[in-house]
Amino acid sequence: MISISLQGLRKGQCLSDIWVYQYKQGGIFLIPKSVIKRIEAICRNFLWDGSSEYHKVPLVAWETVTLPKNEGGLGIKRALTWNYATIGKLVDWVYTKSDRLWIKWVHQLYIKDKDWHNYSPPSDAAWAWKNICKIKEMIKNGYVANTWILNTKGYTVSSGYEWLRHKQPQQHWTPMIWSNWNIPKHAIITWISMHKGLKVKEKLFRLGCCTDDGCIICDREVETQAHLFFDCPYINQVLQLLEQWCGFRIHVSMLGGLQNAKNCLKQQVHYLLWNALYYHVWSQRNAARIQSVLIRPQKLAEMIKDEVCRRIKVTMGRSPSRNDSTWLRKWGL
């Protein structure tokens, strides 16, 4: 432990020693914005390219990626907001007058007998203290009578992050994508499509990256996401084959997904089929564009069936009910 005399400290003096002490005690320290921006850039680049460097436009904005899954994001936390929420712990210690050396120091040197809730730092205060006071202004409305109102156990970094982040409405389609039954690579393609991030020809043509915007598969209409996944004759043939096999209608549209499920198993299988269909249709579209190869709808339907059956066997941990067993036997499971 670092020993610091309260009487010998002046404004800004030994501040670095205090932050070293604070870091050892709780791992809390201010990170410069330039460092945080670089950290987020590395995370963003790794997400889209698997490396620290990526020079293309991301498929989905980082502001969307960092939303919780039920709000349409991937649940990745914003580094800057998380750092602010972490520093909020220092603010809370001042509110609660925690029995810590650093808290005693700021009360004696800065706050003295002033009201911390309405406190403003002096112009000659240290940089670190001014930033702590800035973060205090961000979260102070979450305190009533010096008590954090979002959590009965007091301030936590998680609750501070929830207070600071910009919340968005919950999306009705997220349970269909993030079901534990879905194969992750299928789910991520469907998620990108929900944010209109797939590079269909309509978008590429608008950016001047290709000479026409016609559908690669059917060559009848403009290749938009709506056409590719809802209207293209190719996907409709695959859909008909899969529906004949599973015995219920597969809604490619997001709006009808939950209406098919008579029980939990059928609901999960519906989600599984639906995401697999999105993934494989997009894969076939890319194969047609890059390799000029497109397999028959019957073969694609068989590929999806096999993949779904394997996933069901791996994921279904408990013994199915009698009705579910009868239903699964029709599928050969």
Side-chain angles (χ1 to χ4, degrees):
M1 180 179 293
I2 298 175
S3 176
I4 303 176
S5 170
L6 294 178
Q7 300 297 328
L9 286 175
R10 295 190 302 273
K11 295 177 182 179
Q13 182 182 1
C14 298
L15 194 60
S16 59
D17 291 339
I18 292 175
W19 281 109
V20 169
Y21 169 79
Q22 198 58 54
Y23 171 74
K24 289 185 176 182
Q25 293 298 304
I28 301 174
F29 58 97
L30 285 164
I31 303 177
K33 282 188 178 181
S34 59
V35 175
I36 289 179
K37 286 182 178 179
R38 181 55 183 156
I39 291 171
E40 288 199 331
I42 292 172
C43 293
R44 182 178 61 250
N45 296 339
F46 184 81
L47 174 67
W48 297 116
D49 193 53
S51 66
S52 61
E53 300 297 331
Y54 182 72
H55 302 292
K56 299 178 182 178
V57 178
L59 301 179
V60 181
W62 188 246
E63 289 75 15
T64 301
V65 170
T66 53
L67 292 172
K69 287 184 176 180
N70 62 355
E71 295 178 15
L74 291 181
I76 299 173
K77 295 214 171 24
R78 291 296 301 264
L80 181 61
T81 307
W82 186 262
N83 188 228
Y84 284 168
T86 304
I87 302 303
K89 194 67 179 175
L90 301 179
V91 176
D92 182 71
W93 287 348
V94 179
Y95 265 113
T96 57
K97 295 185 178 180
S98 176
D99 186 18
R100 298 171 187 269
L101 175 61
W102 182 80
I103 302 302
K104 294 178 180 179
W105 176 71
V106 296
H107 271 284
Q108 178 171 328
L109 187 62
Y110 284 122
I111 302 175
K112 299 179 181 178
D113 297 326
K114 298 176 183 176
D115 178 21
W116 171 235
H117 193 73
N118 299 311
Y119 172 84
S120 296
S123 58
D124 61 343
W127 169 86
W129 180 242
K130 287 182 178 179
N131 278 277
I132 292 173
C133 293
K134 176 183 174 182
I135 294 166
K136 186 262 294 183
E137 293 298 316
M138 297 179 183
I139 66 173
K140 73 176 188 177
N141 290 335
Y143 282 89
V144 175
N146 293 345
T147 302
W148 183 245
I149 60 176
L150 266 66
N151 194 326
T152 56
K153 296 182 180 180
Y155 183 89
T156 61
V157 177
S158 297
S159 62
Y161 182 85
E162 283 299 308
W163 178 271
L164 290 169
R165 74 176 184 87
H166 297 292
K167 298 178 178 61
Q168 298 294 326
Q170 294 190 7
Q171 302 296 326
H172 68 278
W173 45 262
T174 55
M176 307 178 195
I177 294 179
W178 304 121
S179 165
N180 292 332
W181 286 57
N182 292 339
I183 298 172
K185 66 179 181 180
H186 295 180
I188 197 68
I189 292 298
T190 311
W191 174 78
I192 293 172
S193 73
M194 290 301 102
H195 293 291
K196 303 187 184 303
L198 297 178
K199 294 181 179 179
V200 292
K201 286 187 69 178
E202 179 268 337
K203 181 183 292 186
L204 294 175
F205 179 73
R206 185 159 29 91
L207 296 174
C209 299
C210 59
T211 57
D212 67 275
D213 58 2
C215 177
I216 293 174
I217 296 177
C218 69
D219 198 24
R220 295 182 183 179
E221 298 181 26
V222 175
E223 188 188 85
T224 62
Q225 282 192 186
H227 168 76
L228 186 62
F229 294 116
F230 303 152
D231 302 326
C232 184
Y234 182 82
I235 192 174
N236 288 330
Q237 291 182 55
V238 178
L239 263 175
Q240 290 175 6
L241 293 168
L242 290 175
E243 289 173 352
Q244 291 172 9
W245 171 65
C246 67
F248 59 80
R249 187 183 174 197
I250 303 171
H251 286 254
V252 181
S253 169
M254 283 290 184
L255 301 178
L258 293 172
Q259 298 173 2
N260 281 315
K262 301 298 182 182
N263 57 39
C264 182
L265 178 63
K266 286 189 178 182
Q267 183 186 68
Q268 299 300 334
V269 171
H270 175 267
Y271 295 164
L272 181 57
L273 273 166
W274 181 72
N275 281 270
L277 184 64
Y278 258 66
Y279 174 82
H280 283 286
V281 168
W282 182 245
S283 296
Q284 290 307 308
R285 179 264 181 198
N286 290 337
R289 180 172 182 265
I290 299 170
Q291 303 171 355
S292 300
V293 175
L294 183 66
I295 64 175
R296 294 178 295 107
Q298 293 81 0
K299 185 174 181 181
L300 180 58
E302 288 298 325
M303 288 172 55
I304 294 175
K305 290 178 191 177
D306 292 341
E307 197 165 39
V308 166
C309 288
R310 289 196 301 268
R311 185 67 176 179
I312 292 173
K313 289 178 181 179
V314 170
T315 308
M316 190 168 56
R318 60 178 179 82
S319 299
S321 65
R322 180 177 300 178
N323 291 336
D324 289 341
S325 298
T326 303
W327 183 59
L328 290 172
R329 277 197 296 271
K330 295 179 180 178
W331 289 21
L333 294 173

